[in-house]
């Protein structure tokens, strides 16, 4: 994240303002050769913040001090996890801890809120054993690493990370030492579960940031009252990415260097794992802060090829390394190949990289219509989500400046900022529709973590935001389910139980959509792992094909719409209950 320019003051550079939007054609073609229709007209959608009324009382502590310790500005992430497997997604919020310059009145703790299924949540942190007191948490990743049917939780942080094993009885056990994934001495930010060797068990990749400590915290900004600022990451060396191989016995082996992902210096902030070249093996993309972004392509032998520069994702189209933070990957233009979106700070551009199907990507930021429409906003993180269920993936972005005194340096920039929604007009052409989504969506916050989930199981996507130094937001989608939809929960058998790495192809009335079960994404956060398809007003699904990580391919015919289905590898659709929150089943008009 760009903070202050080395030791003097904020980076005052400006990017030239260019014209941005060009409308797309009426049709495009994916690999199947079928025409892709433009989306239906937009339906009314509002996002309503129900965090307070639902009983979520968590307060993120920014640990702010006059010393401006670099650690303070990062904020913390959050994650959705159905920890008790009742079909309702629960919310875990990551917390900070005391620092040499900040001593809170009482110990800080993370929080787990159980979804009660009636629109309310209950704090079950203590019984779950997830308080994590004394650990300066950063983010989290959710995955069933031992294939026992209960999702486990990895919490990143400054100095070390924690792996919590889900005991299946409502409680978790800290198994970090036994598992060997503590990342001691690292400043871990985002992490992701992935099965990179397709052995049926989830492995773990961890982003580490910079070599900083309170002892080498520099003075940055002007030397007058109130002007001290957080420093630029160029003042510090980067750390290295960690990759831990799952040994199938509750332990992991550090294969960072052997695999190749831990060789280059990194300043890792966000990670997403997806199959970018369609060879059936999961690859890794990492957003680095003022450092070349990474793209590691799976060699299918336990190693990765660093294709960061040859692919075109290392830098912007004009060759600049920007303040990469949030990242996600999905097919946004209907051609069946996963594209990449990376957020950056103010006076930079949020970049959309289009997959060219040949191992390269084009910077599609201006052709897509995104351009400089957020030039004064600092993009902390983003998630692809079809918020209006029209079948085209949109971009939801959370923003906030890193400097809490930013207006002393940039009068046109504020610390707290509204969120962004770029609606996909079809074929990867976007329009900013944020102001149409209601006052709660537009309320400025110091946003950090972003996690998407259909927490009320009504068929449209909601999301939660962890705000630095403030209360979280739980933004309920009101109206998206006026369009039809399908949600798919995966259960692997030969593949990892989560089905991470699977590729799903849905055909509905000659409209084809491709989704991947990616690992990671966003910034220090974990989203609902179920695969969501918007269908607009289409009333039938001719087929759903699932290419599992094991190599097995499953084809389902005549799939019901407006349902959450569970597909078990080799068995097809199996019974499982996903209770709808009473009274919230269909809020669309």
């Amino acid at each position: 994240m760009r903070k202050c320019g080395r030791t003097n003051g904020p980076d005052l550079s400006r990017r030239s303002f260019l014209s941005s939007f060009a409308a797309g054609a009426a049709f495009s073609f994916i690999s199947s050769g079928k025409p892709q229709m433009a989306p239906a007209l937009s339906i009314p959608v509002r996002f309503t913040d129900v965090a307070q009324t639902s009983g979520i009382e968590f307060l993120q502590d920014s640990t702010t001090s006059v010393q401006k310790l670099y650690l303070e500005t990062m904020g913390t992430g959050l994650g959705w996890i159905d920890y008790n497997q009742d079909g309702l997604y629960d919310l875990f919020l990551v917390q900070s801890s005391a620092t040499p310059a900040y001593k809170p009145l009482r110990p800080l703790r993370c929080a787990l809120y159980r979804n009660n299924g009636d629109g309310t949540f209950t704090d079950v942190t203590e019984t779950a054993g997830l308080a994590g007191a004394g650990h300066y948490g950063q983010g989290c990743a959710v995955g069933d690493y031992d294939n026992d049917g209960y999702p486990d939780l990895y919490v990143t942080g400054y100095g070390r990370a924690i792996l919590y094993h889900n005991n299946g009885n409502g409680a978790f056990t800290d198994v970090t030492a036994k598992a060997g994934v503590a990342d001691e001495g690292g400043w871990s930010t985002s992490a992701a579960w992935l099965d990179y060797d397709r052995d049926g068990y989830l492995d773990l990749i961890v982003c580490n940031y910079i070599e900083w400590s309170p002892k080498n915290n520099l003075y940055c900004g002007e030397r007058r009252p109130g002007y001290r600022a957080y420093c630029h990451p160029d003042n510090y060396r980067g750390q290295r990415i960690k990759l831990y191989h799952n040994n199938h016995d509750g332990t992991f082996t550090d294969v960072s260097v052997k695999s190749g992902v831990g060789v280059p210096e990194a300043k890792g902030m966000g990670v997403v794992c997806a199959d970018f070249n369609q060879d059936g093996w999961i690859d890794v993309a990492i957003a680095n802060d003022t450092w070349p972004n990474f793209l590691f392509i799976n060699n299918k032998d336990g190693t990765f090829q660093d294709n960061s520069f040859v692919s075109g994702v290392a830098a912007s189209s004009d060759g600049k390394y920007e303040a990469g933070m949030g990242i996600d990957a999905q097919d946004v233009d209907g051609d069946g190949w996963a594209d990449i979106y990376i957020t950056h700070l103010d006076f930079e551009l949020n970049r959309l990289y289009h997959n060219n199907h040949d191992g390269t990507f084009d910077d599609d930021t201006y052709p897509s219509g995104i351009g400089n429409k957020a030039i004064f906003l600092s993009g902390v993180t983003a998630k692809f989500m079809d918020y209006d269920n029209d079948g085209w993936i949109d971009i939801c972005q959370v923003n906030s400046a890193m400097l809490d005194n930013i207006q002393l340096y940039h009068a046109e920039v504020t610390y707290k900022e509204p969120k962004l929604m770029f609606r996909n007009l079809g074929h990867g052409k976007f329009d900013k529709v944020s102001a149409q989504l209601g006052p709660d969506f537009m309320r400025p916050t110091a946003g950090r973590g972003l996690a998407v989930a259909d927490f009320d199981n009504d068929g449209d996507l909601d999301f939660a935001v962890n705000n630095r130094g403030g209360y979280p937001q739980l933004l309920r989608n009101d109206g998206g389910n006026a369009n039809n939809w399908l949600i798919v929960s995966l259960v692997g058998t030969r593949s990892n139980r989560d089905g991470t790495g699977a590729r799903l192809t849905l055909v509905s009335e000659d409209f084809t959509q491709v989704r991947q079960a990616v690992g990671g994404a966003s910034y220090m956060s974990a989203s609902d792992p179920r695969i969501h398809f918007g269908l607009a007003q289409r009333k039938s699904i001719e087929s759903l094909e699932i290419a599992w990580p094991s190599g097995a391919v499953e084809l389902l015919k005549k799939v019901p719409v407006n349902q959450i289905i569970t597909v078990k590898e080799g068995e097809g659709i199996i019974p499982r209950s996903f209770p709808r929150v009473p009274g919230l089943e269909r809020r669309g008009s």
Side-chain angles (χ1 to χ4, degrees):
M1 64 188 72
R2 177 178 54 76
K3 299 186 182 77
C4 273
R6 301 194 181 271
T7 57
N8 298 316
D11 181 355
L12 300 176
S13 64
R14 298 291 196 272
R15 187 169 306 286
S16 62
F17 290 4
L18 304 175
S19 60
S20 60
F21 194 88
F27 296 91
S28 68
F29 293 85
I30 66 165
S31 56
S32 67
K34 294 183 178 180
Q36 295 294 84
M37 303 298 293
L41 294 175
S42 179
I43 60 173
V45 174
R46 294 291 185 271
F47 285 93
T48 303
D49 186 357
V50 296
Q52 184 175 4
T53 57
S54 69
I56 296 174
E57 299 177 341
F58 178 85
L59 177 63
Q60 201 277 342
D61 196 317
S62 60
T63 67
T64 301
S65 69
V66 294
Q67 283 89 345
K68 294 286 185 180
L69 298 184
Y70 199 114
L71 185 65
E72 299 165 5
T73 191
M74 300 286 282
T76 54
L78 72 171
W80 292 101
I81 175 172
D82 183 5
Y83 81 101
N84 55 2
Q85 290 295 282
D86 63 356
L88 295 160
Y89 274 79
D90 314 294
L91 186 60
F92 177 75
L93 296 125
V94 183
Q95 184 62 284
S96 56
S97 72
T99 72
Y102 177 80
K103 305 299 179 185
L105 296 177
R106 59 182 60 87
L108 302 178
R109 64 167 204 161
C110 298
L112 176 65
Y113 284 90
R114 185 187 66 225
N115 188 335
N116 297 323
D118 60 1
T120 68
F121 289 76
T122 298
D123 188 337
V124 295
T125 310
E126 297 303 327
T127 57
L130 294 177
H135 176 233
Y136 202 112
Q138 291 285 257
C140 62
V142 176
D144 183 2
Y145 74 85
D146 56 354
N147 292 335
D148 67 352
Y150 287 89
D152 309 298
L153 182 65
Y154 188 73
V155 183
T156 61
Y158 177 73
R160 63 185 177 95
I162 302 174
L163 176 60
Y164 293 103
H165 175 260
N166 190 330
N167 301 328
N169 60 358
F172 291 76
T173 299
D174 181 343
V175 296
T176 314
K178 175 189 174 184
V181 293
D183 191 31
E184 290 285 352
W187 182 352
S188 51
T189 54
S190 296
W193 295 97
L194 76 165
D195 183 4
Y196 75 92
D197 56 355
R198 301 204 323 188
D199 64 355
Y201 285 81
L202 289 175
D203 312 295
L204 179 63
I205 190 163
V206 182
C207 289
N208 282 304
Y209 190 38
I210 57 173
E211 293 290 346
W212 172 90
S213 75
K215 294 180 180 179
N216 68 2
N217 190 62
L218 302 173
Y219 190 106
C220 295
E222 298 181 28
R223 291 186 176 272
R224 49 178 172 148
Y227 277 76
R228 184 170 184 175
Y230 298 104
C231 293
H232 193 286
D234 283 355
N235 288 292
Y236 303 97
R237 292 188 60 86
Q239 295 191 326
R240 297 294 195 276
I241 306 300
K242 289 290 184 71
L243 178 62
Y244 296 100
H245 175 261
N246 191 327
N247 299 326
H248 311 177
D249 60 0
T251 69
F252 292 76
T253 298
D254 186 341
V255 295
S256 309
V257 175
K258 178 182 177 181
S259 67
V261 303
V263 173
E265 182 179 345
K267 295 183 179 181
M269 297 292 265
V271 57
V272 64
C273 306
D275 180 5
F276 292 107
N277 57 1
Q278 293 200 22
D279 64 354
W281 294 74
I282 202 163
D283 312 302
V284 177
I286 291 173
N288 283 308
D289 186 3
T290 64
W291 199 255
N293 300 314
F294 293 155
L295 180 63
F296 296 110
I297 299 299
N298 198 322
N299 291 327
K300 311 177 191 177
D301 60 1
T303 68
F304 290 81
Q305 176 71 36
D306 186 349
N307 283 11
S308 307
F309 289 95
V310 297
S311 67
V313 305
S316 64
S317 57
D318 50 1
K320 294 186 177 180
Y321 307 140
E322 297 171 307
M325 294 187 66
I327 189 170
D328 202 357
Q330 285 292 348
D331 171 25
V332 302
D333 58 353
D335 65 358
W337 294 69
D339 310 296
I340 299 172
Y341 187 77
I342 300 177
T343 63
H344 300 104
L345 300 192
D346 48 65
F347 306 113
E348 298 177 339
L349 301 182
N350 302 295
R351 300 287 173 178
L352 178 64
Y353 294 96
H354 174 261
N355 192 326
N356 296 326
H357 314 175
D358 60 1
T360 69
F361 291 74
D362 284 338
D363 183 346
D364 212 32
T365 304
Y366 276 103
S368 69
I370 294 170
N372 56 25
K373 292 179 179 177
I375 196 70
F376 293 126
L377 299 179
S378 292
V380 178
T381 186
K383 274 289 295 172
F384 287 128
M385 60 180 289
D386 182 1
Y387 80 94
D388 57 356
N389 281 352
D390 67 355
W392 294 92
I393 290 182
D394 313 298
I395 300 171
C396 181
Q397 181 172 311
V398 169
N399 309 289
S400 169
M402 295 297 108
L403 299 179
D404 48 14
N405 57 357
I406 186 66
Q407 286 193 290
L408 297 177
Y409 293 99
H410 297 296
E412 65 272 57
V413 176
T414 60
Y415 171 54
K416 295 183 178 181
E417 298 174 347
K419 285 166 280 297
L420 279 173
M421 186 72 79
F422 289 108
R423 180 175 184 251
N424 195 331
L425 303 177
H427 324 296
K429 305 298 181 182
F430 293 88
D431 187 27
K432 187 169 72 172
V433 298
S434 314
Q436 302 173 20
L437 302 180
D440 288 346
F441 186 90
M442 291 297 293
R443 181 165 65 86
T445 65
R448 293 298 186 263
L450 164 66
V452 174
D454 182 8
F455 80 90
D456 49 9
N457 288 334
D458 70 346
D460 50 28
L461 293 177
D462 318 293
F463 66 94
V465 179
N466 207 354
N467 294 306
R468 178 181 183 254
Y471 292 97
Q473 291 177 289
L474 176 55
L475 280 297
R476 188 187 65 201
N477 186 324
D478 293 330
N481 56 14
N483 275 330
N484 295 325
W485 52 275
L486 176 74
I487 295 176
V488 184
S489 177
L490 299 174
V491 178
T493 53
R494 290 171 54 199
S495 304
N496 66 83
R497 188 177 178 91
D498 290 355
T500 302
R503 172 186 167 94
L504 289 76
T505 305
L506 179 146
V507 179
S508 172
E509 300 177 16
D510 291 326
F511 181 76
T512 302
Q513 301 179 59
V514 176
R515 300 284 186 271
Q516 289 193 37
V518 303
S522 189
Y523 166 70
M524 305 199 303
S525 299
S527 292
D528 184 340
R530 298 173 295 182
I531 310 301
H532 172 264
F533 294 94
L535 301 173
Q537 290 300 303
R538 302 175 187 90
K539 296 178 174 59
S540 63
I541 297 173
E542 284 70 56
S543 66
L544 175 65
E545 180 185 278
I546 303 174
W548 294 91
S550 66
V553 178
E554 201 152 355
L555 183 63
L556 307 177
K557 297 284 191 177
K558 302 300 180 183
V559 180
V561 302
N562 297 331
Q563 301 287 327
I564 304 176
I565 64 172
T566 298
V567 180
K568 188 173 183 178
E569 185 177 11
E571 297 182 21
I573 299 175
I574 63 171
R576 189 187 172 190
S577 174
F578 291 97
R580 291 195 179 189
V581 174
L584 300 177
E585 290 91 342
R586 199 164 183 84
R587 295 183 294 268
S589 56

